[in-house]
Amino acid sequence: MDSLPGKGADEDVVEKVSAPTGALNEEHENLSDIIRNAKLATEKEHKMTLWQGLKLYPKAIAWSVLISTCIAMEGYDISLVNNFYAFPQFNQKYGVAITAEDGSVSYQVPAAWQAGLSNGAVVGEIIGLAINGWVSERFGYRYTVIACLVLIAAFTAIFFTAQTVVHLQVAEILCGIPWGVFQTLTITYASEVCPVALRGYLTTYVNFCWGIGQMIGIGVIMGNLWRTDEWAYRIVRLSSSLFSRGITDNPWQPYALQWMWPVPLIIGIFFAPESPWWLVRKGRLEDAKRSLLRLTSLDRETDFDADETVAMMVHTSALEQKITEGSSYLDCFKGIDRRRTEIVCMCWAIQNLSGNSFSNYSTYFLQQAGLSNDKAYSFAMGQYAINCAGVFGAWTLITLGVGRRTLYLYGLAALFTMLMILGFLGLAKNRDAASLATGSIMLVWALCYQLTVGTVCYSLVAEMSTRRLQIKTVVLGRVLYNIVAIICGVLTPYMLNPSAWDWGNYAGFFWAGSCFLCFVYTYFRVPEPAGRTFAELDLLFEKKVSARKFASTDVDVFAEHVEGSVMQTYKDQLAVSNMKAM
């Protein structure tokens, strides 16, 4: 392995501060002991196996899964909006008539309106992301998520009373604000409540929640394809088929079922422990220890020590204070944090630039490729089911030791190949066979995407930034993701809409070119964070190690002088504890 030069583990650290004394915390007699405890906790995390992590942190897994469930609501709504454009009743109500060469008449929502409706929630999400960077760091993760769930419940009333598509778009924008918060807080919370052994799994579980929401949405649409009136899409939009079954005579009433989600989530999250990393940054070390004990189990195979783990968090926070001067949005673009922000932003953007926005219109695309409505939606249902299954496949690859960078690189190479195949299928003369082949390739594309780029992205963005700037860095990355999504959301309808550019399969060539550029960027810029503690990643970025050498470079974070205000707070609290014990 390559190694980086550094000082002795405890050298130059104890000189400037007198050590606290006391009988109760004798093992913490001086700053050297704090470093020692942090080092012990780091070594234990490195040695911890997946099974040991599961036994030690079952509560952390449960709390993280609960908070990540908030994402399912967004996945559900987004899948509805993008798949409405292949819904005949929706097109007939809001579209324009198109006369084919044989005189047959069909209806299509104009590309401009498709773009506007699809991007409504994205605009709201950007607003929510900007607010989240400040609110969550000030008030904590739990209270921020709870407040957003209250807003979701309130904004659902707009859907409930909506009479026109304009009202629906207003509701989309407003609901996008709390959805933007969910996009980042769920990932950040997952990364901060679990050890290194579980980090890749819990952060990528967020993508599974997306898939669940999308699958429910497409399932509800398929359940209402038989209707020929406007209530087909209205009932779908209300997320229930109660009206069609005669259970209620008020077609708008079923949307009240959306209020079932926020209430139990609010109750559960109210009792969830706060992120111990956030508590350490706020100097609330006793609260951080209590939070850790609530996240762990007594049934463990490791000699876990909450004090040692808190010491590791304190040491990491102090190291980041030394490396990073401030914690504002502007600091994300200063010094070494500029590189970390760039990587997080690009990892998010690559999700759309690799062709995902193309697949988001899968039902509409397959319909334009020649498949019937029911077959198009069946393929879409299969795609969303694959999205969920792909997350578990990615977990298997991670368990086998395949790195995040490796998954990203090989995934982009495979996606590029399949997008090229999609493009060449546009040259086929037999459109029936070509359309079925297109649907099959898109299912394989979806599986490859979820095994690699779609899932691993959530782990990468959670690991690339410092703890002090993580919320803001992930927010900036997600903002770029949404900006790219808006651009793609404008371009894609024009590519596929027969009343606009009508590219059909040839759109695959466009996204293949974009995917190739993503591959080149990943090779040169995206490093391998697997198996690294947050402090080790901080030091690797500080030393400006090349992305291709991250995995092979050895670092000693305890060879660094880390005097800082967080460390001082830790010592002060120990001194207070000693005085109380005397």
Side-chain angles (χ1 to χ4, degrees):
M1 279 191 169
D2 301 329
S3 60
L4 297 178
K7 301 175 184 177
D10 299 330
E11 182 183 340
D12 195 34
V13 176
V14 192
E15 301 175 358
K16 301 182 180 179
V17 183
S18 59
T21 59
L24 183 63
N25 293 288
E26 186 175 357
E27 70 277 13
H28 296 304
E29 285 183 349
N30 51 47
L31 195 56
S32 177
D33 290 328
I34 299 174
I35 302 295
R36 178 177 58 83
N37 284 340
K39 191 170 185 179
L40 287 172
T42 301
E43 291 173 353
K44 289 176 183 178
E45 285 221 0
H46 278 307
K47 295 177 182 177
M48 186 182 297
T49 64
L50 174 60
W51 177 244
Q52 290 173 336
L54 292 172
K55 293 194 69 176
L56 179 58
Y57 284 89
K59 299 176 185 177
I61 295 171
W63 290 121
S64 177
V65 166
L66 176 67
I67 291 180
S68 296
T69 304
C70 296
I71 287 291
M73 292 185 287
E74 181 191 4
Y76 171 83
D77 193 87
I78 297 302
S79 72
L80 287 186
V81 173
N82 289 332
N83 285 292
F84 267 149
Y85 308 135
F87 209 46
Q89 298 86 340
F90 185 85
N91 286 330
Q92 189 170 355
K93 174 68 175 180
Y94 298 108
V96 297
I98 298 178
T99 304
E101 293 180 359
D102 59 1
S104 61
V105 178
S106 62
Y107 292 86
Q108 292 288 333
V109 175
W113 261 112
Q114 288 184 6
L117 288 171
S118 298
N119 291 326
V122 179
V123 172
E125 287 166 4
I126 292 176
I127 297 172
L129 287 165
I131 295 172
N132 179 43
W134 175 78
V135 172
S136 59
E137 194 61 32
R138 180 179 178 85
F139 299 105
Y141 301 173
R142 289 169 53 248
Y143 290 128
T144 302
V145 172
I146 289 172
C148 288
L149 287 168
V150 172
L151 290 176
I152 285 286
F155 296 150
T156 296
I158 302 177
F159 280 124
F160 186 79
T161 58
Q163 299 299 319
T164 68
V165 70
V166 176
H167 297 154
L168 292 177
Q169 183 155 6
V170 170
E172 290 282 352
I173 294 173
L174 291 177
C175 283
I177 295 174
W179 288 338
V181 175
F182 296 152
Q183 288 177 347
T184 52
L185 268 191
T186 52
I187 301 169
T188 304
Y189 185 86
S191 69
E192 294 189 356
V193 298
C194 65
V196 172
L198 299 179
R199 200 166 62 205
Y201 302 93
L202 289 183
T203 52
T204 54
Y205 174 79
V206 174
N207 193 43
F208 175 79
C209 293
W210 256 90
I212 287 292
Q214 291 175 322
M215 195 161 60
I216 294 173
I218 199 71
V220 172
I221 291 180
M222 290 181 66
N224 286 274
L225 278 173
W226 63 273
R227 296 192 65 93
T228 58
D229 58 3
E230 67 181 70
W231 293 116
Y233 60 84
R234 289 197 175 188
I235 292 172
V236 171
R237 199 64 188 82
L238 301 179
S239 73
S240 173
S241 58
L242 293 181
F243 176 73
S244 65
R245 297 178 183 179
I247 297 176
T248 175
D249 58 359
N250 180 2
W252 295 106
Q253 185 177 345
Y255 199 74
L257 293 177
Q258 287 285 31
W259 284 312
M260 291 174 55
W261 288 95
V263 174
L265 286 173
I266 288 172
I267 295 173
I269 294 171
F270 179 79
F271 293 102
E274 185 56 86
S275 163
W277 284 92
W278 181 83
L279 292 169
V280 166
R281 291 196 296 273
K282 296 300 179 182
R284 297 164 54 183
L285 304 184
E286 285 299 321
D287 289 338
K289 179 180 177 180
R290 281 193 290 269
S291 179
L292 267 174
L293 293 174
R294 290 188 60 199
L295 291 167
T296 53
S297 171
L298 296 176
D299 181 19
R300 57 185 69 144
E301 293 185 2
T302 61
D303 52 342
F304 172 79
D305 188 313
D307 290 316
E308 291 177 353
T309 304
V310 171
M312 178 185 68
M313 294 178 180
V314 169
H315 176 267
T316 301
S317 297
L319 179 63
E320 290 180 350
Q321 278 190 347
K322 169 194 171 184
I323 297 173
T324 307
E325 294 183 1
S327 57
S328 67
Y329 276 114
L330 187 59
D331 290 304
C332 294
F333 299 98
K334 293 181 179 178
I336 60 170
D337 288 304
R338 180 170 56 248
R339 177 188 177 192
R340 304 178 80 159
T341 301
E342 170 217 314
I343 294 171
V344 169
C345 288
M346 287 304 300
C347 283
W348 273 128
I350 284 173
Q351 278 200 322
N352 277 322
L353 295 174
S354 60
N356 183 43
S357 60
F358 180 51
S359 71
N360 283 340
Y361 288 80
S362 57
T363 309
Y364 184 68
F365 171 73
L366 291 170
Q367 189 188 63
Q368 301 307 314
L371 285 182
S372 62
N373 292 336
D374 57 340
K375 287 184 179 179
Y377 278 112
S378 295
F379 268 108
M381 174 63 87
Q383 176 187 324
Y384 291 134
I386 286 173
N387 288 353
C388 296
V391 174
F392 296 105
W395 287 358
T396 301
L397 294 174
I398 292 173
T399 304
L400 293 174
V402 182
R404 277 66 140 167
R405 170 183 163 88
T406 302
L407 286 172
Y408 237 60
L409 274 174
Y410 283 94
L412 287 169
L415 295 178
F416 166 78
T417 302
M418 282 180 279
L419 287 169
M420 289 295 292
I421 294 174
L422 281 176
F424 281 114
L425 282 173
L427 301 173
K429 301 297 183 183
N430 187 337
R431 294 314 305 159
D432 290 337
S435 63
L436 288 173
T438 297
S440 301
I441 289 293
M442 289 196 73
L443 291 181
V444 178
W445 188 97
L447 176 60
C448 181
Y449 177 81
Q450 293 302 331
L451 284 172
T452 57
V453 176
T455 298
V456 177
C457 174
Y458 291 88
S459 181
L460 281 173
V461 299
E463 295 171 310
M464 287 296 139
S465 55
T466 67
R467 296 305 87 195
R468 284 164 57 82
L469 292 172
Q470 186 186 33
I471 286 287
K472 293 181 175 62
T473 305
V474 176
V475 161
L476 289 171
R478 193 67 186 187
V479 166
L480 180 61
Y481 169 93
N482 285 331
I483 291 173
V484 174
I486 289 175
I487 296 172
C488 294
V490 171
L491 291 176
T492 304
Y494 282 92
M495 292 178 185
L496 303 181
N497 198 305
S499 64
W501 302 343
D502 194 20
W503 287 5
N505 278 68
Y506 298 130
F509 290 131
F510 177 88
W511 294 114
S514 175
C515 187
F516 177 76
L517 295 178
C518 293
F519 175 87
V520 173
Y521 174 86
T522 300
Y523 179 78
F524 288 103
R525 299 295 291 172
V526 177
E528 178 56 70
R532 299 287 192 178
T533 65
F534 291 127
E536 289 171 337
L537 290 171
D538 291 336
L539 198 55
L540 285 166
F541 276 109
E542 185 190 22
K543 301 298 182 183
K544 299 180 180 179
V545 176
S546 166
R548 286 165 287 171
K549 295 183 179 180
F550 252 59
S552 61
T553 301
D554 190 21
V555 291
D556 182 6
V557 298
F558 301 101
E560 298 293 311
H561 176 72
V562 292
E563 190 66 49
S565 61
V566 177
M567 192 74 80
Q568 186 62 48
T569 300
Y570 186 71
K571 293 189 302 175
D572 292 344
Q573 291 195 15
L574 287 176
V576 171
S577 298
N578 293 335
M579 291 177 64
K580 290 179 179 179
M582 293 177 64

